[in-house]
Structure formats: C-alpha cells, structure tokens
Amino acid sequence: MSEAKIKAIIYSLHPLERKVLLHIGADFKDIMAKSGLGEAEALTGISMLSDRGLVQCEKGEHKYYILTPRGEHYLKVGLPEHRLLAELGRGEKKMSELTLPREEVAPALGVLKKGMLISVAKSGNDIIIRVEKKVPPQKNPLEMFRGGIQASKVPESQRGEVQELIQRGLVKEYMQKTISVKLTPLGREVAGALTAKYAGLDLAEEVTEEMLKKGTWKGREFRHYDVGLKTQGTAVGRRHPMDESNNILRDIFIEMGFQEMEGPVVEAAFWNMDVMWIPQDHPARDEQDTFYVDGRAKLDSKLIAVFKEMHERGLKRTHTTKGEWSEEIASRMLLRTHSTATTFRTLAWLAERARREGREIENGKYFYVAHNFRNEKVDATHLAEFFQAEGFIIGDNLSLADLMGFVREYYARLGITKIRFKPTYNPYTEPSMEAHYYDPKLGKWYALINSGIFRPETLKPLGIEKSVIAWGMGASRIAMLLTGVQSMRDITGGTCDFEWLRTRPVLSRSIVR
Ligand code: PHE
C-alpha cells in the first residue's frame, strides 16, 4: 500500500479504532484489557476496523457449564447427600433426630439409596437410616464448575454426572459468544506505521469554541472525514410525486401572473353543471359518471332564478327545453367532476364584488390545481380521482389566438413544444379546443388540455359581458411525464412502489424519458 494511502487511513481513524488497532491479538478480553476500553467500545472499534479491512474477525460460540444459584449454595455448604453421610457417621440415626434441613433430606436419601450406601427401615412412628457401605468423605463435585468450565474440557467419564447435576438444577449450560480478531496484511502495515512514523500523532476531533476564540485551530491537525464511506440511507418525509408535480404547475401559473382560486370538493350540481349550460338530462350527470353524496345544497335564490330562465328560455328567449329546469336536480350534492365548478364560483364572486362596488368587473387571470372525481373504469391513465390544472382569463375581446398563445407559453415552460390544436365540443365553450402534445419516444399524440371560450349562456346570468377563455389541463398526465412512470396507478394508485417514493429523484420541469 502506498505511503499516501497509509497516511490517509491513519488520519481518518476514529479514536476507538486507533486504541484497538494497537492491541489486536487473538483474545478479545485481552484487547479490552490493554486498550482500557469497555466491551461495547472495543467492539465498535473492531467492527469499524473490520469494515475498512484492517482486521478480520471470527465469531464463535462455546458451550460452558456454570453453577445455578442453588449450585453455588451447595458448593459452599456441601451437597445434601454428603452432609447426611457425615451426620450418620458409622452407624444409624432416626429420621426425627437429623439436623439436615427437611427439604434436603429427601434428595439426599434418594442419591444414597440409589448408590446402595444406606438402608431405610420403618420403626414405629419413625424411620431408621443406617449406613450400609462405608465410603471415605467425598470431594464436592460442584468444585469443578466454580467460575464456569468449557464443556469440551469436561472428561468423558464425568459427562453422566454433569447431566445429573443439570437435572438436579445445580448446574446449567451457558453459551459464551467469542470473537477472535486478527490483523489483515493492510492492518499490519497501518498498525506498524501507527507505532513508528505516526507514533506521536495527535489529531483533534472537533473545532471547539475555545480553538475559535484563541485561533489555536490554525496550528492543529484534525481527524479527516472519510467522505467515501457508505452510510445507511434514512427515509425522511418527502412530498408525494403528485403533489410535487402539482407544485410545478402551480409555480408556472404564478410566474405567469395568475392568482390562485379555491373551492369545495363536495359541490352542488348547480356549480358543477347547471351554471355551465349543461342540460339537466345530459349523460355526464348520470350516476355512472358522477359520485353523488347525501344532502342538498342551499342555493342563492337570485342565481337560481337567472339560471332557470337561461336553461328554460335561452339567450334569445326562444329556446325550448323538454321540461322545466328543476332546482331539485341542481341542489343535489356530488364530488366535483371538474374544477370548472370553482372557476364559475370565482366568476360569480368577481361579478358580485364588482356589482357591490359599483364598478366594472376587472380583467384577471386565475388558476386552481385541483382534486376531482369521476366514476370511471380504472385503467393505466384513468383513476376515479385525478388532478386538473384549471384556469381562466377574463378580459376584453379575448380570442382563440389568446388561448393558443397561453397554451404554447405554458407548456414551453415544461419543455413541451411540439403541440397541435384540434377543435372539440363542450356544452359551455364555443369554440372549444383541445391541445395535443407529441411524445417522440412513444411516437404518439397525447391530449394535454381541454379549453375554449365560455358561451354567453354561462356568463350572461352572472352579469358578465367580458370574454373569458378557460381550460382544464390534465395534471395527472403531467405527473406521468415528469416522473417517467408508465401508469397513473404507479403514482396515486395501488401499484405505487414505496421504495420508489423514498428514493426517486426530485422532479424538475423536464420530461423523463
Ligand atoms: N371542464 C373541462 C374538463 O374537465 C375542461 C374545461 C374547462 C374546458 C374550462 C373548457 C373550459 O375537461
């Protein structure tokens, strides 16, 4: 290893590593003793050295036999059977005369009878215990377990006896974890340099307040950070990609001078449909397309009157509907199917405010990145809930050219420039226009936006004489383009991958291919 590399390693050693490295031998206890570190610290040092390839660890397990608390006790006072024998001496004794504690008599008798060293006979109300075979005083067999003994060191001939002591609850097995540590060749080189060339090396661990005040940091050498070390990733909270993508859309509107509007998700059919000149028998009102919810909206009676008139008699009062326009239908509650509901609430509010203040309604630009719901069949690009970036511009003599200009400008800010326009139909806009974007990778055109100029039938009842260009753009589609995800279900649906949510790159205003 080169001189420079060794130096780099030495300068980056953690204090625990430095302490441990100089005392690496086979025995872990030895390392602890010599380095003066506790078990946890020594282990930390070793594992860091091992991560760098300076030491090699071998972990093992050894079986030991150790005394139980009862075993410890009998080691001190002697086994009951030995004490009973000692008490009996050469002859015999009545059970009632024994001084051995009662609870120890039974096990002692058991062991001695099994060895045929004594006999037991009834005598009236008492029992006579007699020595049958005289044996010299025994050494306490628990002695060998004092401080623990490695199982492999117990002689073959004593294995049976050990099992009996275990069964009597005097001895138990204990698994001792062991670790043996060796220097690797690199470790040997580093350790060598640490004791020779770098023996007196004194590295500061941190810049202290005092060093800063006195300026002593200037002369100091500091431990180097190892910026190449891999760390464990932390999963911190972060924005959902849908939210992040929506914020990008929001930012672009704000850059372009738009104001944000806001409206309810649970909406009256009136605001979601009736104000938009959508007939009450329009198929989009079906339960199959719209989620209705319980309850009825309280609607403004003046607004009800003007829209009723518009629906029933039309702009030129020559219109005829199949039946009456029903307030009952208009007051149904639903999950808004598009944020155009909020566009109309905003228009109504702007008109009302202008009227109250006795002036003309102001020109302006408004947007809303909103959550909407449709009772749709779920597939790769459609979920029952979705986001739309809604917006409108109110002004004088606004035309389709203004609308196209806005669309080009807006999407250019997302890096989307290959756009074509196509006429379409909406009940509430005339003319109506879609814009499509060309995806060169998929070789396909995708619908980006549905838009148009609001019909006078929708504006007149609100008392608005100005022109309004408006649109709803698919925000979910943009999220797919910015994340590069192939299915909407991977962003807000059931197949969204949590690992991806945690590790995906932050979105930028460019399409991912
Ligand atoms: N509401 C339309 C939709 O959901 C979008 C739109 C808004 C169209 C405003 C024209 C004007 O697709």
Side-chain angles (χ1 to χ4, degrees), residues 257-299:
F258 280 75
Q259 297 180 60
E260 192 165 22
M261 44 182 178
E262 208 182 2
V265 168
V266 178
E267 186 56 282
F270 179 76
W271 289 110
N272 197 79
M273 291 139 175
D274 292 287
V275 292
M276 279 166 238
W277 187 240
I278 297 177
Q280 289 197 325
D281 58 359
H282 194 280
R285 298 207 188 219
D286 281 359
E287 310 260 344
Q288 286 96 312
D289 295 296
T290 303
F291 292 113
Y292 285 93
V293 296
D294 285 349
R296 293 285 160 176
K298 277 199 198 69
L299 300 166

mmCIF file of all heavy atoms in Angstrom, residues 257-299:
data_model
loop_
_atom_site.group_PDB
_atom_site.id
_atom_site.type_symbol
_atom_site.label_atom_id
_atom_site.label_comp_id
_atom_site.label_asym_id
_atom_site.label_seq_id
_atom_site.Cartn_x
_atom_site.Cartn_y
_atom_site.Cartn_z
ATOM 1 N N GLY A 257 -48.281 35.235 -13.691
ATOM 2 C CA GLY A 257 -49.119 36.296 -13.157
ATOM 3 C C GLY A 257 -50.532 35.890 -12.790
ATOM 4 O O GLY A 257 -51.413 36.735 -12.662
ATOM 5 N N PHE A 258 -50.761 34.597 -12.598
ATOM 6 C CA PHE A 258 -52.097 34.122 -12.227
ATOM 7 C C PHE A 258 -52.310 34.192 -10.719
ATOM 8 O O PHE A 258 -51.351 34.118 -9.946
ATOM 9 C CB PHE A 258 -52.283 32.668 -12.667
ATOM 10 C CG PHE A 258 -52.608 32.517 -14.128
ATOM 11 C CD1 PHE A 258 -51.627 32.683 -15.106
ATOM 12 C CD2 PHE A 258 -53.891 32.195 -14.520
ATOM 13 C CE1 PHE A 258 -51.923 32.536 -16.444
ATOM 14 C CE2 PHE A 258 -54.200 32.048 -15.862
ATOM 15 C CZ PHE A 258 -53.212 32.219 -16.838
ATOM 16 N N GLN A 259 -53.557 34.319 -10.315
ATOM 17 C CA GLN A 259 -53.928 34.222 -8.903
ATOM 18 C C GLN A 259 -54.583 32.877 -8.658
ATOM 19 O O GLN A 259 -55.277 32.357 -9.526
ATOM 20 C CB GLN A 259 -54.929 35.312 -8.535
ATOM 21 C CG GLN A 259 -54.376 36.710 -8.673
ATOM 22 C CD GLN A 259 -55.433 37.719 -8.285
ATOM 23 O OE1 GLN A 259 -55.916 37.728 -7.165
ATOM 24 N NE2 GLN A 259 -55.802 38.549 -9.232
ATOM 25 N N GLU A 260 -54.403 32.363 -7.444
ATOM 26 C CA GLU A 260 -54.929 31.034 -7.147
ATOM 27 C C GLU A 260 -56.361 31.143 -6.638
ATOM 28 O O GLU A 260 -56.690 32.001 -5.841
ATOM 29 C CB GLU A 260 -54.053 30.350 -6.098
ATOM 30 C CG GLU A 260 -54.357 28.868 -5.952
ATOM 31 C CD GLU A 260 -53.263 28.113 -5.203
ATOM 32 O OE1 GLU A 260 -52.507 28.756 -4.453
ATOM 33 O OE2 GLU A 260 -53.174 26.878 -5.386
ATOM 34 N N MET A 261 -57.225 30.241 -7.108
ATOM 35 C CA MET A 261 -58.600 30.201 -6.568
ATOM 36 C C MET A 261 -58.769 28.906 -5.794
ATOM 37 O O MET A 261 -57.918 28.017 -5.835
ATOM 38 C CB MET A 261 -59.644 30.333 -7.671
ATOM 39 C CG MET A 261 -59.386 29.527 -8.905
ATOM 40 S SD MET A 261 -60.664 29.837 -10.151
ATOM 41 C CE MET A 261 -60.073 28.822 -11.490
ATOM 42 N N GLU A 262 -59.858 28.823 -5.079
ATOM 43 C CA GLU A 262 -60.088 27.663 -4.240
ATOM 44 C C GLU A 262 -61.582 27.406 -4.133
ATOM 45 O O GLU A 262 -62.360 28.360 -4.086
ATOM 46 C CB GLU A 262 -59.518 27.921 -2.851
ATOM 47 C CG GLU A 262 -59.091 26.680 -2.155
ATOM 48 C CD GLU A 262 -58.569 26.944 -0.744
ATOM 49 O OE1 GLU A 262 -58.584 28.114 -0.297
ATOM 50 O OE2 GLU A 262 -58.179 25.984 -0.111
ATOM 51 N N GLY A 263 -61.961 26.127 -4.109
ATOM 52 C CA GLY A 263 -63.387 25.827 -3.995
ATOM 53 C C GLY A 263 -63.600 24.449 -3.396
ATOM 54 O O GLY A 263 -62.654 23.675 -3.275
ATOM 55 N N PRO A 264 -64.843 24.129 -3.032
ATOM 56 C CA PRO A 264 -65.125 22.877 -2.333
ATOM 57 C C PRO A 264 -65.056 21.642 -3.238
ATOM 58 O O PRO A 264 -65.368 21.721 -4.422
ATOM 59 C CB PRO A 264 -66.550 23.071 -1.814
ATOM 60 C CG PRO A 264 -67.162 24.056 -2.746
ATOM 61 C CD PRO A 264 -66.059 24.953 -3.218
ATOM 62 N N VAL A 265 -64.645 20.527 -2.626
ATOM 63 C CA VAL A 265 -64.594 19.242 -3.332
ATOM 64 C C VAL A 265 -66.006 18.651 -3.376
ATOM 65 O O VAL A 265 -66.427 18.090 -4.386
ATOM 66 C CB VAL A 265 -63.624 18.275 -2.608
ATOM 67 C CG1 VAL A 265 -63.772 16.858 -3.134
ATOM 68 C CG2 VAL A 265 -62.183 18.745 -2.773
ATOM 69 N N VAL A 266 -66.736 18.771 -2.273
ATOM 70 C CA VAL A 266 -68.134 18.336 -2.271
ATOM 71 C C VAL A 266 -68.942 19.541 -2.744
ATOM 72 O O VAL A 266 -68.958 20.581 -2.101
ATOM 73 C CB VAL A 266 -68.575 17.885 -0.865
ATOM 74 C CG1 VAL A 266 -70.045 17.475 -0.881
ATOM 75 C CG2 VAL A 266 -67.709 16.719 -0.396
ATOM 76 N N GLU A 267 -69.547 19.382 -3.893
ATOM 77 C CA GLU A 267 -70.066 20.535 -4.618
ATOM 78 C C GLU A 267 -71.551 20.327 -4.932
ATOM 79 O O GLU A 267 -72.041 19.193 -4.971
ATOM 80 C CB GLU A 267 -69.221 20.668 -5.894
ATOM 81 C CG GLU A 267 -69.447 21.861 -6.761
ATOM 82 C CD GLU A 267 -69.293 23.183 -6.046
ATOM 83 O OE1 GLU A 267 -70.235 23.560 -5.334
ATOM 84 O OE2 GLU A 267 -68.250 23.858 -6.209
ATOM 85 N N ALA A 268 -72.237 21.421 -5.191
ATOM 86 C CA ALA A 268 -73.627 21.335 -5.635
ATOM 87 C C ALA A 268 -73.630 21.089 -7.143
ATOM 88 O O ALA A 268 -72.792 21.633 -7.870
ATOM 89 C CB ALA A 268 -74.344 22.639 -5.325
ATOM 90 N N ALA A 269 -74.583 20.294 -7.610
ATOM 91 C CA ALA A 269 -74.718 20.054 -9.056
ATOM 92 C C ALA A 269 -74.849 21.397 -9.784
ATOM 93 O O ALA A 269 -74.370 21.556 -10.907
ATOM 94 C CB ALA A 269 -75.937 19.176 -9.331
ATOM 95 N N PHE A 270 -75.462 22.348 -9.120
ATOM 96 C CA PHE A 270 -75.631 23.685 -9.691
ATOM 97 C C PHE A 270 -74.306 24.267 -10.187
ATOM 98 O O PHE A 270 -74.189 24.700 -11.328
ATOM 99 C CB PHE A 270 -76.255 24.611 -8.632
ATOM 100 C CG PHE A 270 -76.450 26.018 -9.102
ATOM 101 C CD1 PHE A 270 -77.485 26.338 -9.974
ATOM 102 C CD2 PHE A 270 -75.606 27.040 -8.664
ATOM 103 C CE1 PHE A 270 -77.667 27.652 -10.401
ATOM 104 C CE2 PHE A 270 -75.783 28.344 -9.086
ATOM 105 C CZ PHE A 270 -76.816 28.654 -9.954
ATOM 106 N N TRP A 271 -73.292 24.240 -9.300
ATOM 107 C CA TRP A 271 -71.993 24.821 -9.667
ATOM 108 C C TRP A 271 -71.189 23.904 -10.581
ATOM 109 O O TRP A 271 -70.354 24.359 -11.350
ATOM 110 C CB TRP A 271 -71.170 25.144 -8.416
ATOM 111 C CG TRP A 271 -71.702 26.301 -7.652
ATOM 112 C CD1 TRP A 271 -72.308 26.258 -6.438
ATOM 113 C CD2 TRP A 271 -71.707 27.670 -8.065
ATOM 114 N NE1 TRP A 271 -72.693 27.521 -6.059
ATOM 115 C CE2 TRP A 271 -72.327 28.411 -7.040
ATOM 116 C CE3 TRP A 271 -71.253 28.350 -9.205
ATOM 117 C CZ2 TRP A 271 -72.500 29.795 -7.114
ATOM 118 C CZ3 TRP A 271 -71.422 29.724 -9.271
ATOM 119 C CH2 TRP A 271 -72.047 30.434 -8.233
ATOM 120 N N ASN A 272 -71.436 22.607 -10.449
ATOM 121 C CA ASN A 272 -70.673 21.654 -11.249
ATOM 122 C C ASN A 272 -71.220 21.543 -12.674
ATOM 123 O O ASN A 272 -70.496 21.196 -13.597
ATOM 124 C CB ASN A 272 -70.703 20.281 -10.577
ATOM 125 C CG ASN A 272 -69.632 19.335 -11.098
ATOM 126 O OD1 ASN A 272 -68.472 19.450 -10.704
ATOM 127 N ND2 ASN A 272 -70.002 18.428 -11.978
ATOM 128 N N MET A 273 -72.531 21.827 -12.856
ATOM 129 C CA MET A 273 -73.152 21.591 -14.158
ATOM 130 C C MET A 273 -74.111 22.690 -14.632
ATOM 131 O O MET A 273 -74.005 23.144 -15.762
ATOM 132 C CB MET A 273 -73.924 20.273 -14.127
ATOM 133 C CG MET A 273 -73.010 19.058 -14.042
ATOM 134 S SD MET A 273 -73.690 17.853 -12.912
ATOM 135 C CE MET A 273 -72.527 16.511 -13.105
ATOM 136 N N ASP A 274 -75.037 23.062 -13.760
ATOM 137 C CA ASP A 274 -76.103 23.949 -14.232
ATOM 138 C C ASP A 274 -75.621 25.327 -14.683
ATOM 139 O O ASP A 274 -76.093 25.864 -15.685
ATOM 140 C CB ASP A 274 -77.181 24.109 -13.161
ATOM 141 C CG ASP A 274 -77.916 22.799 -12.954
ATOM 142 O OD1 ASP A 274 -78.721 22.442 -13.850
ATOM 143 O OD2 ASP A 274 -77.640 22.124 -11.946
ATOM 144 N N VAL A 275 -74.650 25.875 -13.957
ATOM 145 C CA VAL A 275 -74.152 27.192 -14.355
ATOM 146 C C VAL A 275 -73.449 27.106 -15.702
ATOM 147 O O VAL A 275 -73.214 28.117 -16.355
ATOM 148 C CB VAL A 275 -73.166 27.793 -13.319
ATOM 149 C CG1 VAL A 275 -73.888 28.141 -12.037
ATOM 150 C CG2 VAL A 275 -72.008 26.848 -13.061
ATOM 151 N N MET A 276 -73.088 25.883 -16.101
ATOM 152 C CA MET A 276 -72.318 25.694 -17.335
ATOM 153 C C MET A 276 -73.197 25.336 -18.525
ATOM 154 O O MET A 276 -72.697 24.787 -19.494
ATOM 155 C CB MET A 276 -71.282 24.611 -17.127
ATOM 156 C CG MET A 276 -70.047 25.107 -16.430
ATOM 157 S SD MET A 276 -69.091 23.716 -15.886
ATOM 158 C CE MET A 276 -69.038 24.059 -14.147
ATOM 159 N N TRP A 277 -74.476 25.601 -18.379
ATOM 160 C CA TRP A 277 -75.312 25.364 -19.541
ATOM 161 C C TRP A 277 -75.329 23.872 -19.904
ATOM 162 O O TRP A 277 -75.521 23.493 -21.042
ATOM 163 C CB TRP A 277 -74.802 26.227 -20.708
ATOM 164 C CG TRP A 277 -75.614 26.262 -21.959
ATOM 165 C CD1 TRP A 277 -75.211 25.888 -23.206
ATOM 166 C CD2 TRP A 277 -76.961 26.717 -22.133
ATOM 167 N NE1 TRP A 277 -76.187 26.068 -24.133
ATOM 168 C CE2 TRP A 277 -77.282 26.590 -23.495
ATOM 169 C CE3 TRP A 277 -77.929 27.224 -21.219
ATOM 170 C CZ2 TRP A 277 -78.533 26.943 -24.014
ATOM 171 C CZ3 TRP A 277 -79.159 27.576 -21.753
ATOM 172 C CH2 TRP A 277 -79.451 27.427 -23.139
ATOM 173 N N ILE A 278 -75.088 23.046 -18.906
ATOM 174 C CA ILE A 278 -75.184 21.605 -19.133
ATOM 175 C C ILE A 278 -76.628 21.212 -18.860
ATOM 176 O O ILE A 278 -77.130 21.435 -17.757
ATOM 177 C CB ILE A 278 -74.220 20.802 -18.219
ATOM 178 C CG1 ILE A 278 -72.762 21.179 -18.540
ATOM 179 C CG2 ILE A 278 -74.430 19.299 -18.372
ATOM 180 C CD1 ILE A 278 -71.731 20.510 -17.650
ATOM 181 N N PRO A 279 -77.325 20.693 -19.873
ATOM 182 C CA PRO A 279 -78.728 20.349 -19.679
ATOM 183 C C PRO A 279 -78.913 19.344 -18.540
ATOM 184 O O PRO A 279 -78.013 18.544 -18.271
ATOM 185 C CB PRO A 279 -79.142 19.727 -21.015
ATOM 186 C CG PRO A 279 -78.009 19.913 -21.952
ATOM 187 C CD PRO A 279 -76.807 20.322 -21.187
ATOM 188 N N GLN A 280 -80.062 19.389 -17.925
ATOM 189 C CA GLN A 280 -80.273 18.513 -16.773
ATOM 190 C C GLN A 280 -80.428 17.044 -17.164
ATOM 191 O O GLN A 280 -80.349 16.173 -16.319
ATOM 192 C CB GLN A 280 -81.460 19.014 -15.944
ATOM 193 C CG GLN A 280 -81.074 20.316 -15.225
ATOM 194 C CD GLN A 280 -82.010 20.674 -14.090
ATOM 195 O OE1 GLN A 280 -83.203 20.419 -14.183
ATOM 196 N NE2 GLN A 280 -81.472 21.262 -13.036
ATOM 197 N N ASP A 281 -80.610 16.783 -18.454
ATOM 198 C CA ASP A 281 -80.665 15.378 -18.876
ATOM 199 C C ASP A 281 -79.365 14.957 -19.580
ATOM 200 O O ASP A 281 -79.316 13.963 -20.282
ATOM 201 C CB ASP A 281 -81.875 15.134 -19.796
ATOM 202 C CG ASP A 281 -81.838 16.024 -21.047
ATOM 203 O OD1 ASP A 281 -80.877 16.834 -21.162
ATOM 204 O OD2 ASP A 281 -82.746 15.912 -21.883
ATOM 205 N N HIS A 282 -78.318 15.735 -19.386
ATOM 206 C CA HIS A 282 -77.030 15.410 -20.019
ATOM 207 C C HIS A 282 -76.472 14.101 -19.438
ATOM 208 O O HIS A 282 -76.537 13.883 -18.229
ATOM 209 C CB HIS A 282 -76.043 16.558 -19.766
ATOM 210 C CG HIS A 282 -74.807 16.496 -20.635
ATOM 211 N ND1 HIS A 282 -73.753 15.669 -20.344
ATOM 212 C CD2 HIS A 282 -74.479 17.145 -21.785
ATOM 213 C CE1 HIS A 282 -72.824 15.817 -21.269
ATOM 214 N NE2 HIS A 282 -73.236 16.701 -22.158
ATOM 215 N N PRO A 283 -75.906 13.215 -20.307
ATOM 216 C CA PRO A 283 -75.420 11.924 -19.812
ATOM 217 C C PRO A 283 -74.315 12.047 -18.748
ATOM 218 O O PRO A 283 -74.179 11.162 -17.903
ATOM 219 C CB PRO A 283 -74.903 11.222 -21.066
ATOM 220 C CG PRO A 283 -74.877 12.249 -22.151
ATOM 221 C CD PRO A 283 -75.842 13.318 -21.775
ATOM 222 N N ALA A 284 -73.544 13.137 -18.768
ATOM 223 C CA ALA A 284 -72.463 13.282 -17.780
ATOM 224 C C ALA A 284 -73.009 13.390 -16.358
ATOM 225 O O ALA A 284 -72.285 13.214 -15.385
ATOM 226 C CB ALA A 284 -71.624 14.517 -18.100
ATOM 227 N N ARG A 285 -74.319 13.643 -16.254
ATOM 228 C CA ARG A 285 -74.911 13.758 -14.917
ATOM 229 C C ARG A 285 -75.273 12.405 -14.329
ATOM 230 O O ARG A 285 -75.648 12.315 -13.165
ATOM 231 C CB ARG A 285 -76.179 14.608 -14.977
ATOM 232 C CG ARG A 285 -75.946 16.036 -15.434
ATOM 233 C CD ARG A 285 -77.020 16.871 -14.848
ATOM 234 N NE ARG A 285 -77.030 18.218 -15.342
ATOM 235 C CZ ARG A 285 -77.295 19.267 -14.547
ATOM 236 N NH1 ARG A 285 -77.551 19.092 -13.277
ATOM 237 N NH2 ARG A 285 -77.316 20.464 -15.048
ATOM 238 N N ASP A 286 -75.178 11.364 -15.164
ATOM 239 C CA ASP A 286 -75.559 10.026 -14.697
ATOM 240 C C ASP A 286 -74.736 9.583 -13.500
ATOM 241 O O ASP A 286 -73.601 9.981 -13.330
ATOM 242 C CB ASP A 286 -75.331 8.996 -15.822
ATOM 243 C CG ASP A 286 -76.450 9.032 -16.831
ATOM 244 O OD1 ASP A 286 -77.391 9.827 -16.631
ATOM 245 O OD2 ASP A 286 -76.359 8.268 -17.810
ATOM 246 N N GLU A 287 -75.384 8.714 -12.727
ATOM 247 C CA GLU A 287 -74.687 8.122 -11.572
ATOM 248 C C GLU A 287 -73.446 7.345 -12.022
ATOM 249 O O GLU A 287 -72.498 7.196 -11.283
ATOM 250 C CB GLU A 287 -75.616 7.144 -10.842
ATOM 251 C CG GLU A 287 -76.978 7.707 -10.521
ATOM 252 C CD GLU A 287 -77.094 8.167 -9.077
ATOM 253 O OE1 GLU A 287 -76.232 7.776 -8.282
ATOM 254 O OE2 GLU A 287 -78.036 8.918 -8.772
ATOM 255 N N GLN A 288 -73.479 6.846 -13.252
ATOM 256 C CA GLN A 288 -72.330 6.073 -13.744
ATOM 257 C C GLN A 288 -71.106 6.954 -13.911
ATOM 258 O O GLN A 288 -69.991 6.484 -13.973
ATOM 259 C CB GLN A 288 -72.619 5.408 -15.098
ATOM 260 C CG GLN A 288 -73.545 4.225 -15.018
ATOM 261 C CD GLN A 288 -74.970 4.642 -15.331
ATOM 262 O OE1 GLN A 288 -75.456 5.633 -14.789
ATOM 263 N NE2 GLN A 288 -75.630 3.889 -16.182
ATOM 264 N N ASP A 289 -71.303 8.242 -14.065
ATOM 265 C CA ASP A 289 -70.183 9.143 -14.307
ATOM 266 C C ASP A 289 -69.854 10.006 -13.106
ATOM 267 O O ASP A 289 -68.751 10.507 -12.982
ATOM 268 C CB ASP A 289 -70.495 10.063 -15.493
ATOM 269 C CG ASP A 289 -70.615 9.267 -16.778
ATOM 270 O OD1 ASP A 289 -69.607 8.686 -17.189
ATOM 271 O OD2 ASP A 289 -71.726 9.185 -17.325
ATOM 272 N N THR A 290 -70.818 10.197 -12.240
ATOM 273 C CA THR A 290 -70.670 11.156 -11.145
ATOM 274 C C THR A 290 -70.941 10.468 -9.814
ATOM 275 O O THR A 290 -71.867 9.676 -9.710
ATOM 276 C CB THR A 290 -71.681 12.308 -11.343
ATOM 277 O OG1 THR A 290 -71.439 12.879 -12.629
ATOM 278 C CG2 THR A 290 -71.544 13.364 -10.278
ATOM 279 N N PHE A 291 -70.108 10.799 -8.832
ATOM 280 C CA PHE A 291 -70.362 10.299 -7.471
ATOM 281 C C PHE A 291 -71.264 11.306 -6.761
ATOM 282 O O PHE A 291 -70.828 12.427 -6.469
ATOM 283 C CB PHE A 291 -69.058 10.187 -6.674
ATOM 284 C CG PHE A 291 -68.117 9.120 -7.166
ATOM 285 C CD1 PHE A 291 -66.890 9.461 -7.734
ATOM 286 C CD2 PHE A 291 -68.432 7.776 -7.027
ATOM 287 C CE1 PHE A 291 -66.008 8.490 -8.168
ATOM 288 C CE2 PHE A 291 -67.547 6.790 -7.461
ATOM 289 C CZ PHE A 291 -66.340 7.152 -8.035
ATOM 290 N N TYR A 292 -72.482 10.914 -6.494
ATOM 291 C CA TYR A 292 -73.372 11.788 -5.726
ATOM 292 C C TYR A 292 -73.214 11.484 -4.241
ATOM 293 O O TYR A 292 -72.877 10.363 -3.866
ATOM 294 C CB TYR A 292 -74.822 11.581 -6.163
ATOM 295 C CG TYR A 292 -75.090 12.243 -7.515
ATOM 296 C CD1 TYR A 292 -74.964 11.529 -8.692
ATOM 297 C CD2 TYR A 292 -75.429 13.593 -7.571
ATOM 298 C CE1 TYR A 292 -75.171 12.143 -9.924
ATOM 299 C CE2 TYR A 292 -75.640 14.214 -8.792
ATOM 300 C CZ TYR A 292 -75.512 13.488 -9.965
ATOM 301 O OH TYR A 292 -75.708 14.105 -11.165
ATOM 302 N N VAL A 293 -73.442 12.482 -3.425
ATOM 303 C CA VAL A 293 -73.387 12.269 -1.978
ATOM 304 C C VAL A 293 -74.696 12.771 -1.370
ATOM 305 O O VAL A 293 -75.444 13.530 -1.999
ATOM 306 C CB VAL A 293 -72.170 12.975 -1.316
ATOM 307 C CG1 VAL A 293 -70.868 12.403 -1.821
ATOM 308 C CG2 VAL A 293 -72.201 14.477 -1.549
ATOM 309 N N ASP A 294 -74.939 12.336 -0.131
ATOM 310 C CA ASP A 294 -76.184 12.729 0.534
ATOM 311 C C ASP A 294 -76.225 14.233 0.792
ATOM 312 O O ASP A 294 -75.194 14.867 0.910
ATOM 313 C CB ASP A 294 -76.306 12.008 1.889
ATOM 314 C CG ASP A 294 -76.688 10.549 1.683
ATOM 315 O OD1 ASP A 294 -77.053 10.201 0.533
ATOM 316 O OD2 ASP A 294 -76.609 9.790 2.654
ATOM 317 N N GLY A 295 -77.402 14.732 0.894
ATOM 318 C CA GLY A 295 -77.560 16.133 1.284
ATOM 319 C C GLY A 295 -77.975 17.000 0.108
ATOM 320 O O GLY A 295 -77.905 16.605 -1.057
ATOM 321 N N ARG A 296 -78.452 18.193 0.441
ATOM 322 C CA ARG A 296 -78.892 19.154 -0.576
ATOM 323 C C ARG A 296 -78.181 20.474 -0.337
ATOM 324 O O ARG A 296 -77.915 20.851 0.811
ATOM 325 C CB ARG A 296 -80.410 19.393 -0.453
ATOM 326 C CG ARG A 296 -81.246 18.184 -0.792
ATOM 327 C CD ARG A 296 -81.284 17.975 -2.292
ATOM 328 N NE ARG A 296 -81.665 16.584 -2.583
ATOM 329 C CZ ARG A 296 -81.860 16.109 -3.799
ATOM 330 N NH1 ARG A 296 -81.687 16.896 -4.841
ATOM 331 N NH2 ARG A 296 -82.198 14.863 -3.986
ATOM 332 N N ALA A 297 -77.901 21.162 -1.420
ATOM 333 C CA ALA A 297 -77.235 22.467 -1.289
ATOM 334 C C ALA A 297 -78.277 23.559 -1.079
ATOM 335 O O ALA A 297 -79.390 23.470 -1.598
ATOM 336 C CB ALA A 297 -76.442 22.759 -2.549
ATOM 337 N N LYS A 298 -77.893 24.576 -0.301
ATOM 338 C CA LYS A 298 -78.744 25.772 -0.217
ATOM 339 C C LYS A 298 -78.222 26.729 -1.265
ATOM 340 O O LYS A 298 -77.072 27.123 -1.236
ATOM 341 C CB LYS A 298 -78.603 26.402 1.171
ATOM 342 C CG LYS A 298 -79.474 25.754 2.210
ATOM 343 C CD LYS A 298 -79.649 26.705 3.403
ATOM 344 C CE LYS A 298 -80.127 25.935 4.617
ATOM 345 N NZ LYS A 298 -79.087 25.011 5.148
ATOM 346 N N LEU A 299 -79.051 27.068 -2.211
ATOM 347 C CA LEU A 299 -78.577 27.892 -3.321
ATOM 348 C C LEU A 299 -79.171 29.297 -3.236
ATOM 349 O O LEU A 299 -80.260 29.492 -2.699
ATOM 350 C CB LEU A 299 -78.954 27.232 -4.649
ATOM 351 C CG LEU A 299 -78.356 25.828 -4.828
ATOM 352 C CD1 LEU A 299 -79.026 25.091 -5.972
ATOM 353 C CD2 LEU A 299 -76.846 25.909 -5.067
#
